């Protein structure tokens, strides 16, 4: 079973969020592997208000397209332009350079610990 | 339905492949990265397991005349060890499958069908054989098919297989032409090697008796590694064939499509004659002759995306509507049959059936990508053409 960073929390839709302010959101290594090579990201715009559990963007790979759900509610304050320009970082470093956007969090959906997520993804 | 496994199944699992159901078979979708596998084939070489393809042996004194009747091509005129891309059509001209036919001997042919259509093709050939002295035999389970594709493939195959005067039919491997085949040896085993493929690169397809498939696979991987060869899955195969503008059954071709609709009417040989000089009344001839004379209702075109979002199979092709700043979609003029971001070219490419009025090169169209119109332009195919030395 894969190890997931213990300092992050996870959604069942395979997004992660950290506990910083603002919080950083990305997709997990499980999502990145299932997608295949990511070639296009559609992320919410800076200033957008997003709601936990709703579709807020798209991740497109060579073979398929998946909807991106937000694990938290709040206001988007930054998007990862480097990942938009070169989405391959989502595959190579999903928990690092491949982060997607940052949010001023006002609330969260149901989130899992690393251990719970490992069981869910296992 | 339980998916069938090829003789190389355990190899794929050992290599950590992501498997997928394809035409009733459990096949490798990718081993590591779709893009890396795609690029390896364009720049070095890739190794594919294609053992899911249907293999049908046709033998007997009437083998050539029978195939002339059953298929749209002129197979009795195929020279021994030649290969030909052809189709099997229904009476109404609709495509039942696209095929590669090898002439493996004076009175012997080998028909390669798509996995999902193998049963259909076998059934149709069996029915159409009535009245001909020819035997139709499914040999899919006895044989494995592996393909080595890419600019380094000739070097790799040369290192693994040996030439044999008894099997070669007088052809030297280094002189093997595109769409020709020869017998070679892998250790003590006879294999059939054809210079064919589905990637737009130079490459070889090798038929081997199933019990020797694993040894051949491993030998090709080992010999190929220093040349940059990697095992490649169906995902790379699909993006490679799309760049090369090659149709895929179930996408560009189906029973409602004639070869003319798909822009490959050249495979239909309305002019073929039997040995006594009379025209061959092959299955589908009347409908195809009529279709050739009528104006097409739709045309298969290549589309190049001028923005970043790729179109996918099934999406609507629409009139671009410049007045609508909201990006909303205009009236539908066609349907995408295959689409992906092109790894080699770096922009979205697609094939689509569109109405003839919007099929001219340079026509600006749009594709409804999940509710938003994305700009595309009609371009000639193939999208990618290799440099020939």
């Amino acid at each position: 079973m894969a190890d997931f960073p213990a300092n992050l929390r996870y959604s069942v839709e395979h997004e992660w969020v950290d506990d910083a302010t603002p919080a950083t959101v990305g997709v997990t290594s499980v999502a990145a592997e299932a997608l295949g090579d990511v070639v296009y990201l559609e992320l919410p715009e800076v200033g957008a208000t997003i709601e936990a559990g709703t579709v807020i963007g798209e991740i497109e790979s060579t073979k398929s397209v998946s909807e991106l759900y937000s694990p938290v509610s709040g206001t988007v304050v930054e998007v990862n332009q480097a990942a938009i320009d070169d989405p391959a970082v989502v595959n190579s470093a999903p928990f690092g350079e491949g982060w997607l956007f940052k949010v001023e969090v006002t609330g969260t959906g149901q989130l899992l610990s690393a251990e719970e997520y490992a069981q869910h993804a296992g | 339905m339980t998916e069938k496994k090829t003789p190389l199944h355990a190899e794929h699992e050992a290599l950590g492949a992501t498997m997928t159901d394809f035409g009733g078979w459990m096949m490798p979708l990718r081993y590591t990265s779709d893009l890396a596998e795609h690029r390896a084939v364009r720049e070095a070489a890739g190794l594919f397991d294609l053992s899911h393809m249907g293999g049908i042996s046709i033998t007997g004194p009437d083998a050539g005349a029978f195939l002339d009747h059953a298929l749209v091509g002129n197979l009795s005129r195929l020279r021994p060890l030649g290969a030909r891309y052809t189709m099997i059509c229904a009476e109404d001209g609709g495509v039942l499958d696209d095929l590669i036919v090898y002439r493996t001997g004076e009175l012997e042919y080998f028909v390669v069908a798509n996995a999902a259509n193998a049963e259909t093709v076998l059934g149709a050939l069996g029915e159409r054989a009535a009245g001909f002295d020819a035997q139709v035999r499914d040999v899919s389970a006895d044989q494995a098919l592996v393909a080595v594709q890419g600019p380094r493939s000739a070097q790799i195959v040369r290192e693994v297989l040996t030439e044999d005067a008894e099997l070669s039919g007088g052809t030297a491997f280094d002189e093997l032409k595109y769409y020709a085949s020869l017998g070679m040896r892998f250790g003590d085993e006879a294999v059939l090697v054809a210079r064919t493929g589905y990637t737009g690169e130079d490459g070889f397809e090798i038929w081997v008796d199933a019990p020797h498939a694993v040894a051949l696979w491993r030998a090709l991987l080992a010999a190929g590694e220093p040349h940059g060869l990697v095992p490649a899955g169906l995902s790379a195969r699909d993006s490679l064939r799309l760049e090369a503008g090659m149709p895929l059954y179930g996408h560009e071709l189906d029973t409602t499509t004639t070869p003319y609709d798909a822009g490959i009417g050249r495979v239909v040989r309305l002019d073929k004659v039997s040995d006594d000089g009379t025209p061959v009344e092959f299955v589908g001839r009347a409908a195809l002759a009529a279709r050739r004379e009528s104006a097409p209702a739709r045309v298969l075109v290549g589309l190049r995306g001028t923005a970043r979002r790729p179109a996918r199979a099934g999406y609507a092709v629409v009139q671009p509507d410049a007045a609508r700043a909201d990006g909303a979609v205009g009236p539908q003029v066609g349907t995408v049959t295959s689409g992906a971001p092109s790894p080699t070219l770096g922009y979205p490419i697609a094939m689509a059936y569109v109405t003839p009025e919007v099929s001219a090169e340079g026509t600006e169209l749009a594709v409804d990508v999940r509710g938003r119109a994305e700009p595309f332009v009609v371009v000639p195919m193939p999208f990618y053409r290799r440099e020939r030395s």
Side-chain angles (χ1 to χ4, degrees):
Chain A
M1 195 177 289
D3 271 337
F4 302 105
N7 61 322
L8 304 178
R9 290 198 292 163
Y10 300 86
S11 72
V12 293
E13 288 96 3
H14 307 288
E15 285 85 24
W16 57 260
V17 58
D18 69 11
D19 56 5
T21 307
T24 302
V25 173
V27 296
T28 69
S29 52
V30 175
E33 274 165 37
L35 282 162
D37 292 304
V38 176
V39 293
Y40 176 78
L41 290 173
E42 179 148 308
L43 300 179
E45 288 178 15
V46 171
T49 304
I50 57 175
E51 197 177 324
T54 62
V55 174
I56 45 121
E58 294 176 348
I59 297 193
E60 186 139 20
S61 67
T62 48
K63 287 304 283 181
S64 63
V65 57
S66 296
E67 290 174 323
L68 183 64
Y69 293 83
S70 180
V72 293
S73 301
T75 305
V76 177
V77 295
E78 189 181 348
V79 298
N80 185 354
Q81 190 59 44
I84 291 173
D85 294 339
D86 181 15
V89 296
V90 174
N91 293 106
S92 58
F95 296 114
E97 284 171 57
W99 64 274
L100 299 180
F101 55 91
K102 296 186 180 185
V103 195
E104 288 289 356
V105 177
T106 57
T108 67
Q110 199 186 355
L111 295 175
L112 309 175
S113 68
E115 203 169 305
E116 290 164 337
Y117 178 69
Q119 285 189 351
H120 166 74
Chain B
M1 186 166 73
T2 311
E3 290 117 358
K4 292 180 270 189
K5 295 173 182 172
T6 78
L8 295 167
H9 184 78
E11 300 300 298
H12 306 319
E13 292 207 312
L15 289 164
T18 302
M19 305 298 286
T20 188
D21 171 45
F22 186 79
W25 291 77
M26 200 184 285
M27 299 301 295
L29 180 64
R30 73 177 76 88
Y31 296 86
T32 54
S33 148
D34 308 330
L35 291 172
E37 291 163 25
H38 181 112
R39 287 183 185 130
V41 173
R42 289 275 178 258
E43 291 161 14
L47 180 63
F48 297 85
D49 177 13
L50 306 178
S51 304
H52 60 307
M53 304 288 280
I56 301 163
S57 142
I58 312 290
T59 53
D62 290 347
F66 158 60
L67 289 175
D68 281 355
H69 165 73
L71 311 180
V72 299
N74 198 349
L75 287 314
S76 62
R77 297 289 185 273
L78 184 60
R79 65 194 164 71
L81 295 175
R84 190 157 293 164
Y85 178 71
T86 186
M87 295 190 189
I88 181 167
C89 287
E91 280 291 1
D92 69 358
V95 179
L96 295 178
D97 200 8
D98 61 337
L99 308 168
I100 291 185
V101 177
Y102 301 99
R103 187 166 196 169
T104 46
E106 189 57 38
L107 304 177
E108 288 178 22
Y109 291 81
F110 188 59
V111 176
V112 182
N114 283 299
N117 295 329
E119 288 296 318
T120 304
V121 173
L122 192 64
L125 289 178
E127 283 172 27
R128 294 174 190 189
F132 290 95
D133 188 357
Q135 286 73 52
V136 177
R137 204 159 50 89
D138 180 9
V139 297
S140 305
D142 310 334
Q143 299 264 300
L145 174 62
V146 298
V148 184
Q149 299 279 304
R152 307 298 291 273
S153 54
Q155 280 170 274
I156 295 162
V157 171
R158 196 186 294 118
E159 287 176 30
V160 172
L161 302 182
T162 48
E163 305 203 41
D164 185 305
E166 277 179 39
L167 299 171
S168 70
T171 308
F173 175 73
D174 287 340
E175 286 156 20
L176 186 64
K177 295 200 164 56
Y178 189 52
Y179 265 78
S181 69
L182 84 165
M184 294 183 76
R185 214 168 268 293
F186 171 58
D188 292 333
E189 296 304 316
V191 295
L192 177 68
V193 181
R195 200 162 203 158
T196 49
Y198 195 51
T199 60
E201 295 299 330
D202 187 18
F204 300 86
E205 294 180 312
I206 306 170
W207 289 92
V208 60
D209 286 347
H212 306 286
V214 168
L216 176 61
W217 174 267
R218 289 180 181 174
L220 288 166
L221 269 186
E225 198 183 3
H227 296 282
L229 173 141
V230 298
L234 292 182
S235 181
R237 184 168 160 83
D238 191 41
S239 52
L240 289 160
R241 70 92 193 167
L242 176 59
E243 287 183 344
M246 295 172 165
L248 173 62
Y249 197 91
H251 287 252
E252 286 71 39
L253 301 171
D254 58 30
T255 56
T256 71
T257 309
T258 70
Y260 296 107
D261 298 323
I264 26 190
R266 61 181 164 76
V267 303
V268 181
R269 297 299 300 273
L270 296 170
D271 60 344
K272 63 183 164 181
V273 293
S274 57
D275 286 343
D276 61 11
T278 55
V280 175
E281 288 302 322
F282 63 90
V283 179
R285 185 182 196 286
L288 288 167
R291 170 61 188 76
R292 191 175 69 158
E293 300 310 318
S294 62
R298 54 188 190 143
V299 178
L300 187 69
V301 295
L303 296 176
R304 171 188 174 155
T306 52
R308 282 183 63 182
R309 291 170 92 212
R312 302 285 180 179
Y315 289 7
V317 180
V318 297
Q319 288 278 13
D321 196 340
R324 299 174 77 157
D326 60 358
V329 300
Q332 183 167 359
V333 292
T335 304
V336 173
T337 51
S338 296
S342 164
T344 308
L345 304 168
Y347 49 76
I349 56 173
M351 292 195 236
Y353 279 108
V354 299
T355 56
E357 301 76 53
V358 299
S359 64
E361 227 177 280
T363 306
E364 290 181 11
L365 295 171
V367 175
D368 179 351
V369 179
R370 300 180 294 281
R372 209 167 71 204
E374 297 290 344
F376 280 78
V377 61
V378 177
V379 294
M381 288 195 282
F383 302 101
Y384 164 86
R385 201 188 292 273
R386 76 175 191 265
E387 287 172 29
R388 286 164 204 262
S389 48

